[in-house]
Each structure stands twice: as C-alpha cells, then as structure tokens.
C-alpha cells in the first residue's frame, strides 16, 4: 500500500489546500537532517510497541517514506500486545546479535531494555528511541530521541478540559472527581503524559482556589506535584486508574468504575487504548458529552484512530490530543541514517496538538489524524 493512499483520508482537506504529507514532511525536516544521504544501503530493525494500534501503522508509513527518500531499508518488529514486555526484549536482543547499522526502539517498558542498550553501546550500535524516551539509559547508548513532549501533551489535554469544566468546579456543592485512565505505569511516555495532565490540572484548580488530592494508582499518586489535600477532604479528587494489562477491555473496566461515580465530572484517556476504553465504558453508561453545564461528563482522549475521531466529531468527546506517529517514524529513520553515518545528533521533540470538531480539517492538524 503506498504512502499517499494510507494518509489520503486524514489529509483530504490539506490536500485541497494544496498540501500533501510529503510537503508537510519537507517543511518540517530539522536542519540536522537537511541534505542527508546514506553512506551505505543500511538496514534498520525498528522495534514498535505492538501491532494492536493503528498508531503504529501510521508510524510505519512515516518510516517507509523516509526509507524511500534515503535509499535505506527497515524491518518493523513488535509483540502482539504492549503488555508483552518479555517478547519485545527477546526481539531486541535478537536484533542486536545481528550487529545492525542502527536500531530503532519504542520500548514497552523502559527498565526492561537497559541491559540491551548497554550491549548496543559496547558494540557501537547507535540506538534511536522513538515514541518514548529512556531516562535511565546507559551513558552513550542513545544517539537521538524522537518523541512527543509528553508532559506538554498531557498539559494540553488538561487545559482544554478545564476550560469546559471550570464553572462546574466553581459552583460544585461538594467534592467532584476528575478521572484519568492510563494504560500502564511503566512506559516513560505514558508516565510523562499522565503526569503532565495531573500536574497541570492541579495548577489550574489551585489557581481558582480549590484543594486537590490525587488517588488511585500508586505511581501517579507519588509522582504528582502540588496536591494539597487528602482524598477525604479535597474539593477535587483526580482519580487515576491503570489496568492489570494493556487492553481496551480492561481500560474500559477501569473507566466504568470512575464514570459510575455520581460526582465524576470529567475523564481523560491518555492514549488510544485508554481512550477507546473510556468510550467502551460509556457505551454502557451513556454519560459523556460536551455540555458540562447540562450535566454531561466531559471526556477527553489522546491519539487519533477512527473510534476516537468519530467520538470527537459527534460530541461524545470534547476533543483529544494527537501526536504525529507518522512524523516520529519518519524522523526516526532519518536519525538512524545520520547516526549510522557517524553524525552526532540532537533530540527531535514533537508537540501534542489539540483537536476537536471545529479544527479536524485544518492543514496543521489533519495530517496527524491517522486511522
């Protein structure tokens, strides 16, 4: 399937305006990748987190486009589920044993790959992490990080949600609950995104004179910055849930428990799996909507995909924050090629973008709304 066919639906409005995905890529190419040419016909193993989400399909389309431009090749590999950490580690170790020119890595669990990264450093195999960084990586093992600024992206979700619920919070007679469903507490990108949402929400609530507690999953409770009340006494409780495994069904169960609370006024699903879980829970409860003043629970998602986009379009979700997996895959191949050439690199951060029913066709948003 060619690149243009894959993205045609999501960028139709941009193409009408005279843009294409290739134009967007060319315009956004960082200076360190300008005029880049591969010294050899490199082959790169690209370790994705799974093939269960269309997010990774979009990332592979970006890889394909970059590989065609540079004259290199890649092989995308990944476990069946993002919970299959051991399977991914085995794939990484097998790839390292073949001494590739470089390795692309989106780690399911950042702590699980530290030994593998040390092996890469010892063997001189450059590693480019994409989608999620690895904060504790052995020195010199990561050539470049191509990741969304996840704390920023989480804060964008909080800011837009708060604009919709602040009057409800201000006028509440008692305690209210804001939910957050994270698919895990192990991947750095999910940790940062969930934490970015929580910390920004605490900041916004306290600026309006409200006390806040964070409850639920221990990692997110301990990582939260600035919570100033106990769960029993807080004006607002941010209730954080993490399922035992990364599935839509289990995320749905966690979301249903939060949405069933009479004082729940909003909920955030922090990636495609979690957001789809929130929507699955709502299929039973029918409480989500975009009118907080009329009693709707305000739902905000993350990532794109047809299910989330449809929920944004029909008002079930207020909106969502999207990354650009296509661009991350694209930049990752460029970074690996440059690293294999021996070039020293700077990290390539990418933003999270808010979208709702009013801007989904905008030329700066549409290319990021993958299916």
């Amino acid at each position: 399937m060619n690149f243009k066919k894959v993205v045609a639906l999501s960028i139709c409005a941009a193409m009408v305006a005279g843009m294409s995905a290739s134009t967007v890529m060319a315009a956004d190419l960082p200076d360190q990748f300008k005029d880049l040419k591969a010294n050899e016909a490199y082959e790169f193993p690209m370790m994705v987190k799974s093939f269960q989400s269309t997010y990774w399909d979009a990332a592979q389309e970006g890889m394909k486009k970059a590989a065609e431009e540079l004259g290199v090749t890649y092989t995308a590999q990944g476990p069946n589920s993002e919970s299959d950490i051991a399977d991914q580690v085995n794939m990484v170790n097998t790839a390292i044993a073949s001494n590739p020119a470089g390795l692309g890595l989106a780690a399911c669990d950042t702590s699980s790959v530290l030994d593998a990264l040390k092996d890469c450093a010892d063997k001189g195999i450059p590693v480019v992490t994409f989608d999620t960084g690895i904060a504790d990586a052995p020195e010199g093992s990561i050539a470049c990080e191509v990741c969304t600024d996840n704390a920023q992206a989480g804060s964008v979700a909080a800011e837009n949600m708060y604009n919709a619920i602040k009057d409800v919070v201000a006028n509440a007679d008692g305690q209210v609950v804001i939910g957050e469903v994270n698919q895990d507490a192990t991947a750095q990108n999910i940790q940062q995104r969930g934490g970015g949402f929580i910390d920004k929400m605490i900041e916004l609530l306290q600026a309006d004179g409200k006390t806040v507690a964070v409850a639920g999953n221990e990692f997110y409770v301990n990582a939260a910055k600035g919570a100033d009340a106990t769960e029993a006494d807080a004006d607002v409780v941010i209730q954080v849930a993490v399922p035992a495994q990364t599935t839509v069904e289990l995320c749905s169960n966690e979301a249903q428990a939060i949405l069933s609370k009479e004082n729940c006024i909003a909920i955030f699903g922090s990636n495609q799996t979690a957001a789809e879980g929130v929507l699955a829970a709502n299929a039973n409860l029918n409480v989500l909507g975009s009118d907080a003043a009329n009693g709707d629970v305000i739902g905000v998602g993350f990532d794109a995909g047809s299910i989330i986009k449809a929920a944004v379009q029909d008002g079930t979700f207020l909106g969502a924050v999207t990354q650009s997996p296509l661009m991350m895959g694209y930049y990752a191949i460029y970074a690996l090629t440059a690293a294999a050439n021996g070039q020293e690199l700077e990290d390539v951060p990418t933003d999270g973008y808010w979208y709702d029913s009013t801007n989904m066709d905008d030329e700066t948003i549409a290319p990021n709304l993958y299916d």
Side-chain angles (χ1 to χ4, degrees):
M1 185 178 296
N2 71 35
F3 179 79
K4 290 183 179 178
K5 183 176 180 181
V6 171
V7 300
L9 290 177
S10 65
I11 66 170
C12 58
M15 291 178 70
V16 168
M19 293 186 68
S20 68
S22 296
T23 304
V24 172
M25 288 176 172
D28 291 344
L29 197 64
D31 287 344
Q32 63 182 336
F33 300 148
K34 295 283 176 67
D35 302 318
L36 179 66
K37 296 180 180 179
N39 290 346
E40 302 175 23
Y42 302 122
E43 163 71 24
F44 301 119
M46 302 296 291
M47 299 293 166
V48 302
K49 290 186 177 181
S50 76
F51 294 104
Q52 71 183 140
S53 165
T54 55
Y55 179 95
W56 299 108
D57 295 335
Q60 288 181 73
E61 291 303 324
M63 296 174 199
K64 179 180 179 181
K65 183 64 177 173
E68 289 172 350
E69 292 175 359
L70 292 168
V72 301
T73 57
Y74 71 94
T75 302
Q77 304 173 54
N80 291 328
S81 165
E82 295 187 26
S83 299
D84 295 332
I85 295 168
D87 288 349
Q88 189 191 50
V89 172
N90 288 336
M91 292 175 186
V92 171
N93 288 332
T94 298
I96 292 170
S98 68
N99 291 308
L103 172 72
L105 176 61
C108 294
D109 178 77
T110 54
S111 63
S112 69
V113 295
L114 298 181
D115 288 342
L117 290 174
K118 186 176 186 305
D119 288 344
C120 287
D122 291 343
K123 292 185 173 186
I125 300 170
V127 177
V128 170
T129 56
F130 61 102
D131 179 69
T132 185
I134 302 176
D136 298 325
E139 185 176 356
S141 63
I142 304 297
C144 180
E145 179 179 298
V146 183
C147 301
T148 300
D149 183 340
N150 281 290
Q152 176 267 351
S155 72
V156 168
E159 289 167 348
N160 283 277
M161 176 187 283
Y162 191 66
N163 286 336
I165 64 172
K166 62 182 178 181
D167 290 342
V168 173
V169 173
N171 298 322
D173 292 331
Q175 186 181 86
V176 296
V177 170
I178 297 170
E180 176 178 275
V181 179
N182 299 306
Q183 71 166 22
D184 62 57
T186 56
Q188 186 182 53
N189 61 328
I190 303 296
Q191 293 173 348
Q192 292 174 340
R193 193 180 306 155
F197 175 91
I198 292 166
D199 293 346
K200 176 55 70 171
M201 187 61 73
I202 291 172
E203 175 188 323
L204 294 168
L205 288 163
Q206 290 178 340
D208 283 341
K210 298 298 180 181
T211 59
V212 189
V214 181
N217 179 265
E218 184 177 4
F219 172 83
Y220 292 99
V221 171
N222 292 337
K225 299 175 182 176
D228 58 357
T230 66
E231 184 177 357
D233 298 330
D235 297 322
V236 181
V237 174
I238 300 175
Q239 186 74 39
V240 188
V242 174
Q245 290 184 304
T246 302
T247 68
V248 171
E249 180 180 8
L250 292 179
C251 285
S252 175
N253 292 342
E254 299 291 348
Q256 188 160 327
I258 295 172
L259 290 170
S260 296
K261 297 177 183 290
E262 290 186 3
N263 58 343
C264 177
I265 63 169
I267 190 167
F268 172 49
S270 67
N271 75 331
Q272 184 173 357
T273 301
E276 289 182 2
V278 171
L279 292 169
N282 188 62
N284 296 323
L285 299 173
N286 195 30
V287 295
L288 294 180
S290 300
D291 188 353
N294 197 38
D296 291 342
V297 176
I298 298 299
V300 169
F302 201 98
D303 291 324
S306 58
I307 294 173
I308 297 172
K309 290 195 297 184
V312 172
Q313 287 174 321
D314 69 17
T316 303
F317 269 170
L318 176 72
V321 178
T322 185
Q323 307 176 84
S324 183
L326 183 146
M327 295 304 296
M328 279 190 273
Y330 182 79
Y331 289 150
I333 294 292
Y334 264 83
L336 279 167
T337 302
N341 283 352
Q343 182 177 330
E344 291 191 9
L345 298 171
E346 297 179 355
D347 291 343
V348 184
T350 59
D351 287 336
Y353 305 93
W354 174 258
Y355 70 97
D356 55 31
S357 60
T358 69
N359 72 346
M360 293 177 72
D361 290 337
D362 288 0
E363 63 183 28
T364 57
I365 298 297
N368 299 314
L369 301 185
Y370 56 89
D371 281 310

